[in-house]
Amino acid sequence: MPAAIAGGRTLAWLGGCLLVGLLLQTILARVDRGRVTQLETFSETSAVGDRVYYPLPVPLPNPPAMVARVGGRELVPVSYEKFQYRDATMRASARDSATKLTIYKSREPLPDAGDDEWFFVKTAANEYLKLRAQTAAK
């Protein structure tokens, strides 16, 4: 007959707790894997990675034509001059459902903004067209 191990009951109890813990971990991991789409979501709030560009019309209309409609306001270009901003400094503000264009605002203060609210639409990587809002005609 084998000799009794000192603390044998405690070791058996700890081993049982370890097995229960591993079983519980396996069950919870399977539950989480089934809900991965609800638990893990990602939303890019900057312009990095946005590949939907606004193509400039040819010839350029005068006065500038509406680019997008957001929240009942038409967004029209201030001019057709393109501005260079880093994509990481732009913050997504809205999305035009008709054109699928994302409308951006600058995260950094603009030196020439004053009290005006400027919007931007992406024309290429790190290149934007400055827009202003006007009330939509009824």
Side-chain angles (χ1 to χ4, degrees), residues 101-113:
L101 290 170
T102 303
I103 308 302
Y104 296 98
K105 288 185 180 180
S106 177
R107 292 179 193 260
E108 299 172 355
L110 300 173
D112 61 341

Side-chain angles (χ1 to χ4, degrees), residues 1-9 11:
M1 182 167 199
I5 299 175
R9 281 189 151 167
L11 289 176

Side-chain angles (χ1 to χ4, degrees), residues 77-97:
V78 174
S79 70
Y80 284 104
E81 177 187 355
K82 296 177 185 177
F83 293 91
Q84 298 291 323
Y85 294 110
R86 287 188 10 251
D87 285 346
T89 64
M90 301 305 273
R91 174 180 49 87
S93 173
R95 188 170 181 92
D96 184 10
S97 58

Side-chain angles (χ1 to χ4, degrees), residues 106-137:
S106 177
R107 292 179 193 260
E108 299 172 355
L110 300 173
D112 61 341
D115 291 336
D116 297 328
E117 183 178 27
W118 298 115
F119 299 93
F120 298 88
V121 67
K122 196 169 184 176
T123 57
N126 295 313
E127 189 176 86
Y128 296 87
L129 193 64
K130 189 185 291 188
L131 307 173
R132 64 179 162 82
Q134 62 184 20
T135 307

Side-chain angles (χ1 to χ4, degrees), residues 16-132:
C17 288
L18 178 65
L19 289 176
V20 169
L22 289 174
L23 178 65
L24 182 62
Q25 177 193 6
T26 303
I27 291 170
L28 292 176
R30 287 186 181 241
V31 169
D32 282 350
R33 182 173 287 278
R35 300 181 2 200
V36 71
T37 56
Q38 292 93 16
L39 294 174
E40 297 179 11
T41 59
F42 175 77
S43 176
E44 180 64 61
T45 59
S46 72
V48 175
D50 184 8
R51 300 286 180 251
V52 180
Y53 301 133
Y54 172 69
L56 290 176
V58 176
L60 296 175
N62 190 13
M66 178 188 74
V67 172
R69 180 174 283 125
V70 176
R73 298 185 298 177
E74 293 180 351
L75 300 179
V76 296
V78 174
S79 70
Y80 284 104
E81 177 187 355
K82 296 177 185 177
F83 293 91
Q84 298 291 323
Y85 294 110
R86 287 188 10 251
D87 285 346
T89 64
M90 301 305 273
R91 174 180 49 87
S93 173
R95 188 170 181 92
D96 184 10
S97 58
T99 62
K100 305 295 185 229
L101 290 170
T102 303
I103 308 302
Y104 296 98
K105 288 185 180 180
S106 177
R107 292 179 193 260
E108 299 172 355
L110 300 173
D112 61 341
D115 291 336
D116 297 328
E117 183 178 27
W118 298 115
F119 299 93
F120 298 88
V121 67
K122 196 169 184 176
T123 57
N126 295 313
E127 189 176 86
Y128 296 87
L129 193 64
K130 189 185 291 188
L131 307 173
R132 64 179 162 82

